[in-house]
Amino acid sequence: MTAVLGKDLVGLEYLSPDQIRLILDTAEPFKEVSERPIKKVPALRGKTIVNLFFEASTRTRISFEFAEKRLSADTVNVAASGSAVQKGETLVDTAKNLEAMRIDMVVIRHPSSGAAQFLGDRIRSNVVSAGDGKHEHPTQALLDLLTIRDTHGRIAGLKVCLVGDILHSRVARSNIWGLLKLGAEVGVCGPATLMPRGIEELGVCRFRRIEEAIEWADVLNVLRLQLERMERGFIPSLREYYRVFGVTQERLERAPRQLTIMHPGPMNRGVEIDSRVADGSHSVILAQVTNGVAVRMAALYLLAGGRPELADAAKGPAGGANE
Amino acid sequence: MSRPERTTILDARALSRALQRMAVEVLELAHGTEQLVLIGIQRRGVELAERIAKQIETNEGVVVPRGALDITLYRDDLQTVGPKPVIGETRIPGDLTGKHVVIVDDVLYTGRTVRAALDELADFGRPERISLCVLVDRGGRELPIQPDIVGKQVKVNSGERVDVLVEEIDGKDLVELVARGRS
């Protein structure tokens, strides 16, 4: 139906470099829409989108909701708590019931890896992943790519290092796929307990010490340390983590070049990142948030099912000036 | 295989003369340049608006604010088109409230692009007046929309196409009629 991206967006692993570039290029004009006095275009008028969030989320859910509303789609939010999910309804049953109410798209966040794909294979509506388990968080990586491209003018040839909990991070996985496909060099750095075995096989270089990563990289993408990891014994203590892997002003000052600092949020100040770094002049953390809305608008716009057969019926030239 | 037959409607010199005349007509219509804003429709309308603005600059010594409008997201057939069209830049020079906006486009055909442009402009303020200036009016309107300024009027059948080429994008200035057009 929509040849450009396919039906669903569940991960960057399944996109070609051209498809990724198309989303980033399409995001450019959408940035301007959010700067208008009336921040709305009628592109998805009449489309109904359900935001199905089985995990807590503030930034991603609000960002998707803004993107949907600025495209004039009608949106409904469903959270796992307070819904039939609590009564034991399966994911597919929930989605099929929503589909019976004639929806067009589902944005899903789910604690299980592969949930978005699973759902996409079973319903007709477009499915967009807003993060599934430890698998992927495609729109986060897309906004990271857009922000890197904005800051450096390119992605190919840049050295980007992901720092922190690589093992549990869907953000890391999506970033690795996206960055490699667009020709960046990718590094990872973090405690051995939070590093997936065989990570080098993906084509990334591994740094054991944060100082080495800082010396190597143009861009640091500092991942959130999920605090529950400490309780499970992956790291000895938060203070210890900060001392060994914290991205601090002192460490950055010793770098041979100015590093761009990114973080997908929410930040643990004083754990993975120093406040002075997070608020410093080379931090693009808030630009990432701004770009998030534009990238999600682009993805929704490109996925929204067109119906070419209607275009034929309405005869070719209508719409375009002369095409 | 039949080659599409091409007939020149305007060559480079005729196109330049048409734009000169259109610039004068824009000035007359807007009673000078005080509230005037030229908005070109992506893509070739943007270049044509730029040319008209430069001509006005030469004639009057005044820089006229100009902008660009991409109407893709306001198209009435967006739900029906297959692969999504690439979206160009929209750049509006400030609030349009109280301004006399002149929309500039290359070819006026069904009127649906202009309809979309009017909708989009309304999101940027409330201009005192909006006028329409097109290089070629090929007839075939599907909406009650008429131009105020026309470079060249041509009767074109629905199977034919008008191609506007401009130096900045296509490397040459030329307007031609393409019979049995294949895009």
Side-chain angles (χ1 to χ4, degrees), chain A residues 213-225:
Chain A
I214 288 173
E215 198 183 319
W216 174 82
D218 300 304
V219 178
L220 281 191
N221 197 344
V222 188
L223 303 172
R224 166 185 160 73
L225 187 77

Side-chain angles (χ1 to χ4, degrees), chain B residues 73-103:
Chain B
L73 299 170
Y74 289 74
R75 284 173 64 150
D76 59 5
D77 59 351
L78 201 53
Q79 304 294 332
T80 59
V81 292
K84 295 297 182 204
V86 177
I87 312 166
E89 180 195 28
T90 291
R91 173 172 29 88
I92 302 295
D95 188 359
L96 297 179
T97 304
K99 302 288 183 188
H100 184 160
V101 174
V102 176
I103 299 174

Side-chain angles (χ1 to χ4, degrees), chain A residues 26-49:
Chain A
T26 304
E28 288 297 334
F30 282 120
K31 288 181 188 171
E32 179 265 331
V33 173
S34 295
E35 305 297 329
R36 293 183 185 187
I38 296 176
K39 301 176 189 49
K40 209 176 184 66
V41 291
L44 294 192
R45 204 160 58 93
K47 295 276 180 195
T48 308
I49 304 180

Side-chain angles (χ1 to χ4, degrees), chain A residues 36 47 307 315 321-322, chain B residues 79-80 109 120 138 142 162:
Chain A
R36 293 183 185 187
K47 295 276 180 195
R307 297 179 59 192
K315 79 182 161 69
N322 192 37
Chain B
Q79 304 294 332
T80 59
Y109 183 19
E120 183 160 17
R138 59 165 290 181
E142 293 171 0
V162 177

Side-chain angles (χ1 to χ4, degrees), chain B residues 106-134:
Chain B
D106 52 358
V107 179
L108 178 60
Y109 183 19
T110 61
R112 288 178 195 265
T113 299
V114 177
R115 198 276 315 156
L118 291 171
D119 280 356
E120 183 160 17
L121 283 177
D123 288 348
F124 288 94
R126 185 178 183 278
E128 191 175 281
R129 186 171 170 190
I130 302 178
S131 305
L132 176 60
C133 170
V134 296

